[in-house]
Amino acid sequence: MALLLKTEAGRGDSWRRALLAADPGLDLRQWPEVGDPADIEYALVWFPPKGALKSYPNLKVIFSIGAGVDHLASDPELPKGVPIVRMVEPGLTAGMTEFVLMSVLYHHRFMLDYAEQRRNKVWREIDQVPPWDRRVGIMGLGVLGGDVAEKLVALSFDVAGWSRSPKDLPGVARFHGPGGFIPFLNRSDILVCLLPLTAETTGILDARAFAALPEGAALVSVGRGPHVVEADLLAALETGWLGAATLDVFQTEPLPPESPFWDHPRVVLTPHVASLTIAKTASEFVIDNIRRHQAGRPLLHAVDPDRGY
Ligand code: NAP
Ligand code: GLV
């Protein structure tokens, strides 16, 4: 059994070290030095070239280096019937929770306004809002959204979540399905998007969705760029209906130099770094899952091909 590794540029060596620490006997083949394609039974990949994974006739499981699997699902030549496992590991979850808490607190405490005041040398208080009067809405209550919700509740925010199926999380107002979407948006002063990218969620944050938010709401977009109709977001920011946005993911990445978001005064922008997979903890998850698979036990966090996540 060999594991194929194809990481982001520059990260291969740290992954190699972490995987071999988790399993010193591992037969690891680092892209593009693959050897005999017939040896490859498992693949751990981030953005493999389209069509590349069909070259391995004995491939049994594809592990995504990220939580999102849209980089695999968009490959029309992905081998059929090979299970895909998304990344679930404590480093990725902790990183996302940190990033979202930082962003929610930033907007909650008017830091964009204070930055603007500072540029103009204005010394002025803005009324403080207690967290229980700030309604935070989380789109996606899975591994990442669920952890974010729990920590926001611990900070006393008024938290709601929206998911496909009903979810019971302590202290979180629940909304689900298309019928729950607009009522959920209506009570989201700060909206966090932590959905996977699927046919159903592409373009979900459009003019209609922004119009359903309370006036002056802030968006924290950390799922995937194509969730947001960028022209509609820009229009909502221009009219002031949307007060601010933290944008970590974009329709086109890297963000083109001509994008108006780079210089927008109401936008906080980061280069798709809300959370990164941590090689050490992720390798433990992958090796454990390979052992489960070899022992005939069900894989953990396999993607449901019908749902697409
Ligand atoms: P997950 O555990 O699979 O959770 C997905 C959540 O979204 C679930 O609650 C699911 O509802 C909900 N959902 C899916 N489709 C929906 C729909 N059509 N309507 C309403 N709710 C829907 O995923 P995760 O591990 O939390 O990761 C979420 C996403 O975060 C990833 O797919 C990735 O795109 C993004 N991400 C971004 C970064 C970054 O650095 N920016 C880092 C990591 C991940 P159910 O509970 O009913 O199934
Ligand atoms: C990063 O974007 C991920 O999906 O883990």
Side-chain angles (χ1 to χ4, degrees):
M1 172 297 268
L3 172 69
L4 166 71
L5 173 67
K6 154 80 179 69
T7 68
E8 228 180 326
R11 292 193 192 269
D13 287 347
S14 55
W15 273 101
R16 166 176 282 277
R17 278 194 299 276
L19 283 161
L20 291 174
D23 180 359
L26 184 66
D27 181 357
L28 185 62
R29 312 283 176 91
Q30 206 166 327
W31 176 278
E33 311 300 328
V34 178
D36 182 353
D39 294 344
I40 303 296
E41 292 187 16
Y42 300 93
L44 172 60
V45 291
W46 185 241
F47 281 95
K50 300 258 184 281
L53 292 174
K54 71 171 188 215
S55 327
Y56 306 108
N58 297 318
L59 188 61
K60 293 192 168 63
V61 182
I62 301 168
F63 292 94
S64 168
I65 284 185
V69 295
D70 42 297
H71 64 108
L72 295 166
S74 60
D75 181 352
E77 296 179 88
L78 200 69
K80 300 258 176 298
V82 177
I84 297 176
V85 173
R86 63 203 183 78
M87 185 54 72
V88 176
E89 62 93 5
L92 187 63
T93 305
M96 183 56 80
T97 297
E98 283 174 1
F99 189 91
V100 173
L101 290 191
M102 172 178 74
S103 305
V104 166
L105 290 169
Y106 193 83
H107 295 301
H108 171 60
R109 295 303 302 264
F110 307 106
M111 291 307 292
L112 265 183
D113 303 280
Y114 285 122
E116 193 177 322
Q117 287 191 187
R118 180 182 174 193
R119 278 194 297 278
N120 297 315
K121 301 195 168 67
V122 172
W123 186 272
R124 186 170 62 83
E125 277 178 18
I126 302 171
D127 278 346
Q128 192 174 315
V129 177
W132 45 89
D133 286 343
R134 185 73 75 190
R135 299 165 300 175
V136 183
I138 304 166
M139 297 169 74
L141 281 180
V143 172
L144 302 180
D147 194 61
V148 165
E150 184 190 324
K151 306 292 168 23
L152 286 169
V153 168
L155 288 177
S156 303
F157 283 98
D158 181 355
V159 182
W162 183 70
S163 45
R164 217 165 61 101
S165 53
K167 285 268 151 355
D168 271 326
L169 293 178
V172 178
R174 64 175 198 178
F175 295 84
H176 74 278
F181 190 44
I182 296 295
F184 160 79
L185 293 174
N186 289 162
R187 53 89 70 220
S188 295
D189 299 317
I190 301 178
L191 179 68
V192 178
C193 181
L194 263 172
L195 291 171
L197 187 66
T198 64
E200 280 175 26
T201 65
T202 298
I204 193 165
L205 290 173
D206 58 3
R208 173 174 166 266
F210 296 134
L213 292 170
E215 186 171 6
L219 169 68
V220 177
S221 175
V222 283
R224 283 289 184 266
H227 287 138
V228 175
V229 178
E230 291 185 350
D232 292 358
L233 170 60
L234 204 58
L237 287 166
E238 291 303 318
T239 61
W241 184 263
L242 211 60
T246 292
L247 307 177
D248 180 61
V249 286
F250 296 88
Q251 190 81 42
T252 305
E253 296 178 7
L255 187 63
E258 63 276 14
S259 168
F261 292 122
W262 282 112
D263 298 319
H264 200 292
R266 301 306 298 173
V267 169
V268 179
L269 186 156
T270 45
H272 198 144
V273 292
S275 189
L276 303 178
T277 299
I278 303 298
K280 179 178 186 301
T281 32
S283 295
E284 288 158 8
F285 166 74
V286 172
I287 296 298
D288 177 55
N289 237 342
I290 289 176
R291 288 184 181 140
R292 289 176 70 90
H293 185 257
Q294 289 177 326
R297 292 161 65 208
L299 289 161
L300 295 175
H301 303 295
V303 170
D304 175 337
D306 294 329
R307 293 185 319 183
Y309 68 96

